[in-house]
Amino acid sequence: MNNQLYGNLIFELSHPGRKGYSLPNNEFGHYELPATICRAEDAPLPECDELTVVRHYTNHSANNFGVNNGFYPLGSCTMKYNPVLNEETALLPGFQALHPSQPEDTCQGALELMFNLQHSLSALTGLSDFTLNPFAGAHGELTGLMIIRAYHQQRGDDRRTKVIVPDTAHGTNPASAAVCGLDVVEVRSTQDGTVDVDDLREKLDGTIAAVMMTNPNTLGLFERQIPEIAKLVHANGTLLYYDGANLNPMLGKCRPGDMGFDVMHINLHKTFSTPHGGGGPGCGPVGVRAGMEELLPCRVVKSGDALYHIVRNEGIQVGATVGNFAVMVRAYTYILSLGKEEVKMVGPLATLNANYIKESLKDLYELPIDTLCKHEFVFNGLKDKSTGVTTMDIAKRLLDYGYHAPTIYFPLLFHESLMIEPTESESKDTIDGFIAVMRRIAEEAITNPDMVKGAPHSTPIGRVDDVLAAKQPVLTFREVRGEE
Ligand SMILES: *Cc1c(COP(=O)(O)O)cnc(C)c1O
């Protein structure tokens, strides 16, 4: 890469007086801005010519890693391929040029797409209707919990101030509950990695508003006791919430609504392709069972005049607009292009790929829960602990071989968690290549542990001090002058 020539920071390329624009002559005379709105000093902006700027950013972009340039087995994140067709439809001029405040009669096509997507999600999940409004999975959780709180309040029940969350849950679950003003009660997992029903039974009382479940859970295991849990929860007047961020293994095979879930969110940006990572873009639709539709903050309905309208619940507002529309277009394209039959292959293929990797590596990597997994599974570092090579070292060494690292040190249940999710999009060749490299790293851990601990060796930036990076991040440029 040409970063020596074209700079790590655009500020390093700045030369006073250089510029990349040329403005036409001003025909309207000179206008002085009032001093009250002017800076005392000019902003310290970099001064560069256009070609330097283009090369600088192009070279940086080549350092990006994405699903489009390599295998990305980031567990719990479902980094599946986003088909090019999705981008073509999202970029159709009629969709791209929409304005969020446009009158409804001028954007009926967009509203129809939203309506159809809501109902596709209903068909896939067994819930009655969806709002597409939330902008992320965590935002969907918050929305779902607000709906649950409103449900209890409508029934005059305001003692329900707590949410039960399993100890394997994604960190966003307790965080969303806290943001919603609800207290978190943790429920234990059993030795086999699923929810301990006895512990749950003990914790259920009149203060519990909801039980949040993830299925398959964060260990990639199917929670087999859901029917029993649903009975217990409902008998207590509590609602059952489904974290459907990773609906992948279930798609077209089984439906949360049929299992007794009352409210759920889906991450369109995981299960239904859409590129994501680094904070966006996302869409976290929330679905509810029959009878709760009016609590949804915003949804599209079809009225008697055959027109589509947005219906809002003013009591629950979670976004200024109807949501991340381009993500909806991509997800709907993805659902339609798979179709009713092919969508049923997503889950089995994602499951097959995950189990194939697990079985091919479990002689070298420690598998704390050795059972059939769904779309992902968790190793607890290398089996041979004597080398001192950690999960962090393995993750860094993978970068040298051109792979994105799996999710590491999550879930917190094990000390050296290494969570792998291949998704259904990958070919057997790609997966075999990854397995071969993982085996090679296990071998290197024995033959040359120091080299593995010093990885990565071939990336533009070597091993960073991640504690320092987390505790004292330097996120803005400040010019260092002289002795400072
Ligand atoms: C990704 C994920 C979330 C959060 O989704 P965001 O879009 O990142 O907010 C919640 N729960 C589970 C199980 C997830 O995998």
Side-chain angles (χ1 to χ4, degrees), residues 357-365 367 370 379 383:
I357 296 177
K358 170 171 70 68
E359 292 303 312
S360 307
L361 292 174
K362 73 176 188 185
D363 58 325
L364 296 175
Y365 290 83
L367 182 64
D370 189 356
F379 282 135
K383 215 171 195 176

Side-chain angles (χ1 to χ4, degrees), residues 435-451:
I435 291 168
V437 161
M438 287 290 282
R439 298 192 70 84
R440 190 156 160 194
I441 294 172
E443 196 182 293
E444 288 172 348
I446 296 166
T447 56
N448 198 351
D450 288 338
M451 185 274 294

Side-chain angles (χ1 to χ4, degrees), residues 321-391:
T321 64
V322 295
N324 227 338
F325 183 70
V327 177
M328 300 172 203
V329 178
R330 292 187 182 98
Y332 190 55
T333 306
Y334 184 71
I335 292 171
L336 283 190
S337 55
L338 282 179
K340 228 178 194 164
E341 288 311 311
E342 224 170 301
V343 84
K344 293 183 186 154
M345 289 305 291
V346 170
L349 284 176
T351 301
L352 178 65
N353 286 352
N355 279 287
Y356 178 56
I357 296 177
K358 170 171 70 68
E359 292 303 312
S360 307
L361 292 174
K362 73 176 188 185
D363 58 325
L364 296 175
Y365 290 83
E366 186 189 327
L367 182 64
I369 298 177
D370 189 356
T371 174
L372 198 70
C373 66
K374 292 295 169 212
H375 58 306
E376 62 193 0
F377 64 93
V378 183
F379 282 135
N380 187 25
L382 283 163
K383 215 171 195 176
D384 180 356
K385 304 281 188 234
S386 70
T387 65
V389 167
T390 64
T391 280

Side-chain angles (χ1 to χ4, degrees), residues 398-462:
L398 274 170
L399 307 182
D400 282 333
Y401 288 109
Y403 293 94
H404 195 283
T407 294
I408 57 172
Y409 299 105
F410 177 81
L412 306 175
L413 246 40
F414 315 115
H415 292 299
E416 292 290 327
S417 287
L418 188 71
M419 186 187 202
I420 297 175
E421 177 181 7
T423 81
E424 74 282 6
S425 341
E426 301 296 339
S427 69
K428 183 165 180 299
D429 294 345
T430 302
I431 291 176
D432 281 335
F434 175 72
I435 291 168
V437 161
M438 287 290 282
R439 298 192 70 84
R440 190 156 160 194
I441 294 172
E443 196 182 293
E444 288 172 348
I446 296 166
T447 56
N448 198 351
D450 288 338
M451 185 274 294
V452 181
K453 286 180 202 170
H457 303 285
S458 65
T459 51
I461 292 177

Side-chain angles (χ1 to χ4, degrees), residues 112-328:
E112 181 178 354
L113 183 142
M114 290 173 68
F115 180 84
N116 289 347
L117 178 58
Q118 283 168 210
H119 291 279
S120 304
L121 297 179
S122 288
L124 286 165
T125 59
L127 288 168
S128 175
D129 204 355
F130 273 82
T131 178
L132 305 173
N133 207 350
F135 288 84
H139 197 202
E141 291 168 25
L142 175 63
T143 306
L145 291 170
M146 287 163 84
I147 290 171
I148 289 172
R149 199 177 48 187
Y151 167 87
H152 291 302
Q153 278 168 356
Q154 270 188 359
R155 297 155 58 93
D157 186 352
D158 44 23
R159 291 170 312 142
R160 298 191 183 261
T161 55
K162 295 181 193 160
V163 176
I164 292 182
V165 177
D167 57 4
T168 53
H170 198 268
T172 50
N173 289 190
S176 301
V179 172
C180 195
L182 299 164
D183 292 323
V184 176
V185 179
E186 196 172 274
V187 63
R188 273 197 307 270
S189 298
T190 58
Q191 279 294 310
D192 69 4
T194 56
V195 164
D196 184 333
V197 182
D198 292 328
D199 191 35
L200 177 70
R201 191 181 290 114
E202 256 172 53
K203 288 174 176 159
L204 271 173
D205 62 24
T207 64
I208 306 295
V211 175
M212 293 180 93
M213 301 268 307
T214 308
N215 191 26
N217 68 22
T218 303
L219 295 171
L221 306 173
F222 195 88
E223 297 275 358
R224 292 173 186 279
Q225 317 222 55
I226 293 284
E228 190 189 340
I229 292 174
K231 245 191 222 152
L232 277 176
V233 168
H234 290 147
N236 190 55
T238 299
L239 295 185
L240 192 55
Y241 183 92
Y242 183 79
D243 178 337
N246 308 287
L247 203 59
N248 230 28
M250 319 279 273
L251 218 53
K253 281 285 163 189
C254 54
R255 310 193 306 168
D258 300 338
M259 296 178 204
F261 285 95
D262 304 293
V263 181
M264 75 175 291
H265 82 268
I266 303 175
N267 280 23
L268 291 189
H269 50 292
K270 287 179 184 170
T271 304
F272 299 101
S273 58
T274 278
H276 60 283
C283 186
V286 172
V288 293
R289 69 161 153 76
M292 293 178 70
E293 299 88 344
E294 310 227 315
L295 290 169
L296 293 169
C298 152
R299 67 203 157 104
V300 178
V301 299
K302 193 174 181 179
S303 61
D305 53 11
L307 287 180
Y308 296 94
H309 301 288
I310 294 169
V311 176
R312 286 179 198 276
N313 166 12
E314 299 298 336
I316 299 178
Q317 292 183 19
V318 296
T321 64
V322 295
N324 227 338
F325 183 70
V327 177
M328 300 172 203

